[in-house]
Amino acid sequence: MSQDELAAWLRLALTPGVGNGAARRLLARFGQPGAIFSQSTAALHSCVHASQAAQLHQHPPGWDTALDTAWTWLQNAGAAEAEGCGRALIPLGDPRYPPALLQIEDPPLMLYALGPAAWLAQPVPLLDSRCALAIVGSRNPTAQGSENARSFAQTLARQGWCVVSGLALGVDGAAHQGALESAPQALPSAVRPCTVAVVGTGIDRVYPRSHQALAHAIVRQGFILSEYPLGTPPLAANFPKRNRLIAGLSAGTLVVEAALASSSLITARLAAEQGREVFAIPGSIHAPQAKGCHTLLREGAKLVESVQDILEELPAARQALDRLTQAASTPTPTSASPAAASAAATVTPSPSTAAEHPVLAALGFDPMGLDQLQGRTGWNTAALQGWLLEQELDGQVARLPGGLFQRLVRS
């Protein structure tokens, strides 16, 4: 990302009164953020309110400082990369952006990411959410609750799952630690994080501070993600908002222990609203940490006693894991070879030729799922998801509820 591109994305994200929804409408209408700010007020008013259009013609407060901070952070990635850790700022439309977040009500415009440099350099989604499970719970769990979180995460990671949580004290930390205990010693060539931490602060801060060592371990085998600008402190209002990302990145959410006022219940309810599965581990009727789980169970969450109880509800994940394993074992040609470049060109679409590609013909005009479209085209999942996102931003394809896509007819 160039400095000009970064400046445009940050300006769009920081403009007062222009939320993620309005920003996505602007991107769909005008393309990249840089093109938005060259539009007339009347043109902007065609997709946003007049007050928002007026704000877009002004520099937002703190924009210059945020740009300097973010650019310096990205440019200083060399020292971190020497230890294998990379930094990235991933906007909508980037092939690394997790496709599952596009299905939630309020996907972030940008994600700040820390993780293995080799993975962040690959133009593929950071995470296949079909093979990810959120594990959340009390910040003050019982000893059994901590052990349950650790052992469930360890077993899931051993079977190829990614454990998503929030790096908080208690259950979150135990879940991350359990996943790391099952991580391979050597990184696989494919992007296969064992755990992802979604934080409610700027990604340059670790909260709580006692999780510094855990955070450093996570970025060697997984990712830390944040939607908040660098330097953002741990504000109470940000943590419930980040919970939608924890739920959205996962095929389901497991609540290990939670009091009735726990933010983990927010994550579980967001997961249910997003069409994801919700699981809960029952506990003692006398333990306050169990009352939230019992409430979820009364509301229809799946009662969990073992990892098998989770796997039975997510059969599609097994197929996704098998595909990932097969893809990881298939040699990938390098760009240094002309023959490899030619072969890669048959798999990865070029933005300049996407409109002429037969994928649009294969899609037709009826709603179609990704698996069905993949079967018709033969494209690999990462290439197809990236191409569909490009077409969505270009107004050629619409994303429908239930993970379906539909070709649009332009007048």
Side-chain angles (χ1 to χ4, degrees), residues 42-229:
L44 295 174
H45 195 194
S46 66
C47 359
V48 297
H49 296 301
S51 59
Q52 294 172 318
Q55 288 287 352
L56 287 164
H57 282 150
Q58 303 177 30
H59 288 174
W63 172 57
D64 292 338
T65 300
L67 174 58
D68 289 342
T69 301
W71 183 248
T72 300
W73 181 76
L74 288 172
Q75 295 306 299
N76 289 343
E81 288 177 0
E83 301 179 358
C85 178
R87 301 173 179 177
L89 204 161
I90 301 171
L92 281 170
D94 191 298
R96 296 169 295 177
Y97 193 96
L101 291 185
L102 298 173
Q103 300 175 20
I104 70 175
E105 183 177 351
D106 187 29
L109 288 184
M110 298 183 296
L111 289 171
Y112 296 81
L114 290 173
W119 287 353
L120 287 173
Q122 296 185 42
V124 297
L126 297 182
L127 176 65
D128 187 331
S129 298
R130 295 170 299 175
C131 315
L133 188 83
I135 298 182
V136 296
S138 173
R139 285 177 169 81
N140 298 290
T142 64
Q144 185 61 61
S146 292
E147 175 56 25
N148 286 341
R150 188 199 65 79
S151 61
F152 269 77
Q154 187 180 53
T155 302
L156 287 164
R158 189 179 295 123
Q159 297 187 34
W161 287 74
C162 176
V163 173
V164 181
S165 199
L167 198 63
L169 292 172
V171 165
D172 287 19
H176 290 306
Q177 188 61 53
L180 289 167
E181 289 169 2
S182 294
Q185 294 300 311
L187 286 177
S189 57
V191 179
R192 296 289 297 276
C194 69
T195 190
V196 169
V198 185
V199 299
T201 64
I203 205 166
D204 54 340
R205 298 193 174 200
V206 175
Y207 178 81
R209 290 186 179 182
S210 58
H211 276 174
Q212 289 275 359
L214 178 59
H216 292 158
I218 289 172
V219 299
R220 290 194 291 270
Q221 299 286 349
F223 296 111
I224 296 178
L225 303 178
S226 175
E227 66 177 315
Y228 296 106

